[in-house]
Amino acid sequence: MIYPEPVARLIDALTRLPGIGPKTAQRLAFFILKRPADEAQALAGAIVAARTQVVTCSRCHNLTDTDPCRLCSDESRDRTMLCVVQEPRDVAAMERTREYRGLYHVLHGAISPLDGVGPDDLRVRELVARLHDGSVSEVILATNPNVEGEATALYLARLIRSVTPAVRVTRIARGLPVGGDLEYADEVTLSKALEGRREL
Amino acid sequence: MALYKVEAVVLRTREYGEADKIVTLYSREEGKLHGIAKGARRPRSRLAGGMQPFTHVRLMLWRGRNLDTVSQCEIVAAFGPLREDLTRLAHASYVVDLVDEVTRERDANQDLFLTLLGTLHLLAWDQRPVLATRMFEARLLVLSGFRPVLDQCAGCQGSLGADGRRWFSAAAGGLVCPNCRVRERHAIAVSGGTVAALGHLLTADLRRLGVLRPSTQIERELEAVLRAAWDYRIERPLRSLAFLAAVRETPPPAKVAKGPPAQGVRPEED
Ligand SMILES: [Zn+2]
Ligand SMILES: [Zn+2]
């Protein structure tokens, strides 16, 4: 079927979203067209605002609209603990447990030997730099419990031990089922895993 | 749609959609194949544990138009140590990367499958993962039809001469005599001991890897020869080699005495 050019463009843009195929994109496009104009305006505005106002925090590299982010500037957080996660969504997952009161460091990915993603492609140098002032006494490695996450944790443990031996390095326990993504874990599983972390 | 069964090793996985994975498998029955494992990234998925690199699995798949769908997965061996030791993990990554690079889809080779399985066993539990990797590189040359010529000159088929020192040329496909060596500019000098060790790696039973005790010098030469042989056969540098190099550059620090662990924290042995 041939659509008017603006509709075709909208469908094309929606298809680029993860998990959205051409059929879903069509359905979403026509849903948007049927709704009042101000709703579409609000949606477009929200997308533009999120894209332009969100930056990465210069300390923890989490996504934020203030720099440093709210977590980094919160004086009540424990500055001796640093929890290392792969993605910004993992910070949200850890925060939902309400167990952890330290700071975070977001790597923006995981080492994947088979895809050519190495330490230099992640915020690893920035992590090491944060450890040099001596305020952090423990690093908790909370990468995903799959091969890439384990490779990342093993590599970071080795690196941190060699450059800042005084820092204790722990790994969240394998209370999490292997092979999955951290963000899908429920709060109970995740806080259990945090409780049972160990040296690496 | 037809349901079929394979025994396979997971070579690599790629995230797909919300929670799915596309997996590359090397199976005993059909050689390399791709499948989609729906929901495999959710912790509670019954496919989550098995659909990870290096895992030896038995699978049921639905034949699809483009991609086959994994319907059931039973783990035969998870090779846990490959995920708990950086060196073993880096070597295993290189081994599966090499298999993925040199094999074609649906081109079964049972010997290759068994060699891959045996190598993963060695990489997980043998004391010398580096040597296991050398053995795999050598065996894969044979299985891919590139067995290096060691008993005569690979250039002119003449005698190699009496001298104990030898030259290996990846382009010629084996050792070359002093005359041919002049033309083979990239030939690598190797000792008689390295030639003997390479002969052992090419033919011996995988379980007999232990009898080989190469010196550091021989180990270095074996690595150079097999690296050259594979670099000559494959077009692009393997990505996993960069990680292997990064791991080598970050050696484990010397053991330091630690205080008693805090409550709820178990120090890990490594
Ligand atoms: Zn921050
Ligand atoms: Zn010759």
Side-chain angles (χ1 to χ4, degrees):
Chain A
M1 205 200 279
I2 310 292
Y3 297 117
E5 209 267 337
V7 181
R9 256 173 54 209
L10 176 58
I11 293 172
D12 183 56
L14 290 167
T15 313
R16 286 159 207 263
L17 298 175
I20 306 241
K23 275 196 187 132
T24 311
Q26 276 177 39
R27 210 161 45 233
L28 290 173
F30 285 105
F31 176 81
I32 292 166
L33 290 173
K34 261 189 253 163
R35 305 296 300 169
D38 57 332
E39 265 185 40
Q41 204 64 256
L43 175 63
I47 293 172
V48 171
R51 191 65 190 83
T52 52
Q53 290 162 21
V54 172
V55 292
T56 56
C57 172
S58 58
R59 294 192 193 164
C60 69
H61 303 281
N62 193 10
L63 298 179
T64 174
D65 57 346
T66 61
D67 186 19
C69 72
R70 285 181 180 81
L71 287 166
C72 286
S73 31
D74 182 347
E75 289 302 326
S76 72
R77 307 283 303 198
D78 181 353
R79 274 152 209 285
T80 66
M81 305 254 277
L82 198 60
C83 178
V84 178
V85 294
Q86 292 179 202
E87 304 291 345
R89 61 185 184 225
D90 298 330
V91 172
M94 291 297 282
E95 282 300 290
R96 280 199 298 270
T97 70
R98 298 175 187 282
E99 288 281 319
Y100 179 69
R101 297 295 303 156
L103 299 177
Y104 291 93
H105 189 87
V106 183
L107 295 169
H108 290 271
I111 291 176
S112 178
L114 291 164
D115 299 312
V117 181
D120 292 344
D121 302 308
L122 311 172
R123 303 289 170 96
V124 170
R125 233 168 300 147
E126 292 86 341
L127 170 64
V128 172
R130 286 182 81 180
L131 301 179
H132 275 306
D133 73 357
S135 57
V136 174
S137 60
E138 178 176 353
V139 172
I140 303 170
L141 300 171
T143 50
N144 283 338
N146 56 26
V147 172
E148 292 79 18
E150 295 295 350
T152 309
L154 290 168
Y155 178 82
L156 291 179
R158 201 183 260 201
L159 183 68
I160 294 166
R161 286 246 182 79
S162 68
V163 294
T164 50
V167 176
R168 144 187 248 121
V169 183
T170 55
R171 173 88 172 109
I172 52 169
R174 291 191 187 84
L176 298 168
V178 292
D181 275 8
L182 195 66
E183 63 161 327
Y184 291 118
D186 60 80
E187 288 85 328
V188 179
T189 310
L190 206 47
S191 57
K192 279 271 181 298
L194 188 58
E195 236 170 71
R197 69 185 185 277
R198 61 195 158 70
E199 298 271 359
L200 198 66
Chain B
M1 281 203 296
L3 195 60
Y4 68 103
K5 205 169 170 175
V6 291
E7 183 186 350
V9 168
V10 180
L11 299 181
R12 68 171 77 218
T13 68
R14 183 161 67 78
E15 294 190 357
Y16 185 78
E18 270 293 286
D20 305 342
K21 272 183 179 179
I22 305 255
V23 292
T24 307
L25 307 159
Y26 193 82
S27 69
R28 183 197 283 266
E29 297 84 355
E30 307 218 8
K32 183 164 77 182
L33 59 101
H34 290 93
I36 179 161
K38 296 207 169 127
R41 276 156 58 215
R42 297 191 199 279
R44 266 185 280 264
S45 160
R46 279 181 319 207
L47 299 177
M51 296 290 98
Q52 298 194 82
F54 323 133
T55 315
H56 178 196
V57 288
R58 263 192 272 274
L59 297 174
M60 301 282 279
L61 294 116
W62 289 105
R63 237 179 257 285
R65 241 182 315 159
N66 303 314
L67 267 181
D68 294 357
T69 305
V70 178
S71 98
Q72 280 174 53
C73 166
E74 178 202 335
I75 298 174
V76 182
F79 299 118
L82 298 180
R83 292 175 194 85
E84 289 151 18
D85 179 292
L86 198 58
T87 303
R88 293 180 193 279
L89 189 145
H91 281 273
S93 298
Y94 167 58
V95 162
V96 297
D97 204 8
L98 199 53
V99 170
D100 192 17
E101 181 65 26
V102 306
T103 55
R104 285 169 305 178
E105 286 261 321
R106 310 274 174 184
D107 183 11
N109 183 335
Q110 176 155 264
D111 286 341
L112 202 165
F113 175 77
L114 293 173
T115 305
L116 172 60
L117 260 192
T119 303
L120 291 175
H121 267 277
L122 289 171
L123 288 176
W125 290 291
D126 194 86
Q127 292 309 302
R128 296 176 298 170
V130 179
L131 200 56
T133 301
R134 294 292 92 80
M135 182 175 235
F136 184 75
E137 288 175 318
R139 300 309 263 270
L140 196 59
L141 280 174
V142 178
L143 290 163
S144 318
F146 308 127
R147 177 192 282 271
V149 179
L150 301 180
D151 55 349
Q152 59 179 26
C153 173
C156 68
Q157 280 79 50
S159 161
L160 289 164
D163 190 8
R165 187 169 141 99
R166 299 286 187 227
W167 294 90
F168 180 89
S169 161
L175 299 178
V176 287
C177 71
N179 291 334
C180 292
R181 200 251 127 176
V182 183
R183 272 178 283 118
E184 302 293 341
R185 284 189 303 132
H186 300 293
I188 301 164
V190 291
S191 67
T194 298
V195 175
L198 185 56
H200 183 86
L201 292 182
L202 288 169
T203 53
D205 188 316
L206 246 57
R207 286 165 297 187
R208 306 255 308 146
L209 183 66
V211 303
L212 206 59
R213 302 260 163 224
S215 64
T216 321
Q217 171 70 17
I218 289 178
E219 259 183 22
R220 244 200 313 268
E221 290 183 4
L222 280 174
E223 181 178 5
V225 162
L226 289 163
R227 180 78 272 120
W230 277 113
D231 282 348
Y232 184 75
R233 295 290 168 197
I234 53 188
E235 278 153 36
R236 57 168 185 97
L238 292 176
R239 288 162 164 172
S240 52
L241 281 172
F243 182 62
L244 205 49
V247 167
R248 264 193 193 173
E249 282 161 24
T250 319
K255 281 262 171 208
V256 279
K258 290 196 189 95
Q263 231 176 355
V265 179
R266 253 179 321 114
E268 200 204 355
E269 310 293 327
D270 68 1

